[in-house]
Amino acid sequence: SLSSCESTRGSTGSSMDLSLLALLDRFVGWVFEKLASIPRGIFNPDNRLYWVFLLSALILAAISYRRYHPSSGLFPIKAFLRFVFPKKVYLHPSAIIDYKIYISYRFISPFVVGPVIEVVSSAWVASYTNSLLTTAVTQWQGLPVTLEVVIAFTIVYALLSDFLTYVNHRLHHETRLLWPIHRVHHSAEVLTPITLFRKHPLYNVVRQLISAPVIGLFQGLVIFAFLGKIDPVTILGINAVSALFRIFSANLHHTHIWFSFGPLLNHIFISPAHHQIHHSARPEHWNRNYGEVFALWDWMFGTLILPSEEIRKNLIFGLGSGKPQYHSTLAEAYLEPLKSMYEVVKQYCKPSRLAS
């Protein structure tokens, strides 16, 4: 009957409305969860913005301030805070783009970087490597785990990881196809700790494709060698080398605050001053200081520039004088690299003319 049809139709419509409301409710909840996770990062040791790392950066900044702004008497707190958080830096249009990229990336990464990590993960490669070795060597009893072995594993793992970071970073600078992805990061005209996250999603995709197989192979060999009984030395629950890097250096890398480790250590470790030179807009500083933790790779492969007072006094950030600002909006930061990469691919695929 007509009434029953209307009743059924009304029931279906109501069900659909409830379903749409449920989806909308889940989406809104997901958005709020992502936004809430941003400030929670200061309580997570895995996050570079963990409060201990921020506090240590503030202490290093105080040392730098006292060196370059000597004064007698008590430490000038207000002047120091103005030095650390200048409005011209943190309210600069470039910094505003940093903040937008940081927030938006929290939503984008699960759909762009997440699937790659699931398919090409170091854990999967490690498990597969260990499985192959276990099948091939059935009577293996494993090596003994000593303190020396644990310390060596911690250091070797940190060196390998950092070397892969150097390789990935250098490839993005010196490969025409990959440079547009990384140019998003280098188009920053001022540096803040949030500039670390000023990355195109494809940057971390490429990084994962490069590092996961090698790290996974290394982990698989170690798991097999010690029957999975070995763990790295940790500080605050993370790799000790990584923790020390974050305590003594990391959060000043993307700032205007100059901090150098001195002539000897500058050949071994990447200081904030090293990385600020890497962001220099001056051509003589381009494609240098690729390392993240260790300066050894730059030293070995001829890409190291040591910090100096002359560089400090003349340092400016960005892509270079007269260069266009490719990423003045959030949309440009995400879309311009794709367009530039397409142009590079199109140029490579263009058929060459045969000599007549």
Side-chain angles (χ1 to χ4, degrees), residues 267-285:
H267 284 86
I268 303 172
F269 300 105
I270 293 290
S271 70
H274 281 86
H275 197 71
Q276 289 159 17
I277 294 170
H278 176 73
H279 274 270
S280 171
R282 301 188 183 281
E284 62 268 26
H285 301 150

Side-chain angles (χ1 to χ4, degrees), residues 151-320:
I151 293 173
F153 168 65
T154 303
I155 295 172
V156 171
Y157 182 82
L159 285 167
L160 177 61
S161 178
D162 194 64
F163 176 68
L164 291 171
T165 298
Y166 173 90
V167 171
N168 173 72
H169 198 175
R170 185 164 182 174
L171 283 174
H172 275 83
H173 273 264
E174 301 182 17
T175 305
R176 287 187 61 203
L177 181 63
L178 297 180
W179 168 240
I181 302 173
H182 193 48
R183 185 166 58 196
V184 174
H185 186 65
H186 277 270
S187 64
E189 296 169 333
V190 295
L191 301 182
T192 76
I194 303 300
T195 307
L196 168 69
F197 306 97
R198 184 188 176 112
K199 297 177 182 176
H200 195 278
L202 289 180
Y203 180 85
N204 283 335
V205 169
V206 175
R207 179 173 183 167
Q208 181 71 9
L209 292 172
I210 291 171
S211 64
V214 182
I215 291 291
L217 177 62
F218 172 74
Q219 289 176 333
L221 292 171
V222 171
I223 291 170
F224 172 75
F226 299 96
L227 299 180
K229 295 179 293 187
I230 189 168
D231 290 307
V233 178
T234 62
I235 298 175
L236 300 171
I238 60 176
N239 183 289
V241 175
S242 177
L244 291 173
F245 163 65
R246 296 181 184 193
I247 290 171
F248 290 104
S249 181
N251 281 319
L252 290 187
H253 277 216
H254 295 95
T255 66
H256 59 286
I257 300 168
W258 184 267
F259 196 94
S260 171
F261 293 153
L264 176 61
L265 292 181
N266 278 341
H267 284 86
I268 303 172
F269 300 105
I270 293 290
S271 70
H274 281 86
H275 197 71
Q276 289 159 17
I277 294 170
H278 176 73
H279 274 270
S280 171
R282 301 188 183 281
E284 62 268 26
H285 301 150
W286 294 351
N287 300 334
R288 300 299 184 96
N289 295 355
Y290 291 122
E292 182 175 53
V293 178
F294 297 101
L296 295 170
W297 321 121
D298 288 293
W299 191 15
M300 288 169 59
F301 298 113
T303 53
L304 180 66
I305 288 188
L306 295 174
S308 70
E309 283 301 296
E310 182 181 356
I311 293 176
R312 181 185 72 85
K313 293 174 182 177
N314 298 283
L315 196 60
I316 54 173
F317 303 125
L319 295 173

Side-chain angles (χ1 to χ4, degrees), residues 117 119-134 153 157 208 211-225 228:
I117 292 176
V119 174
V120 189
S121 70
S122 56
W124 182 88
V125 176
S127 177
Y128 185 71
T129 301
N130 178 57
S131 178
L132 285 178
L133 292 171
T134 303
F153 168 65
Y157 182 82
Q208 181 71 9
S211 64
V214 182
I215 291 291
L217 177 62
F218 172 74
Q219 289 176 333
L221 292 171
V222 171
I223 291 170
F224 172 75

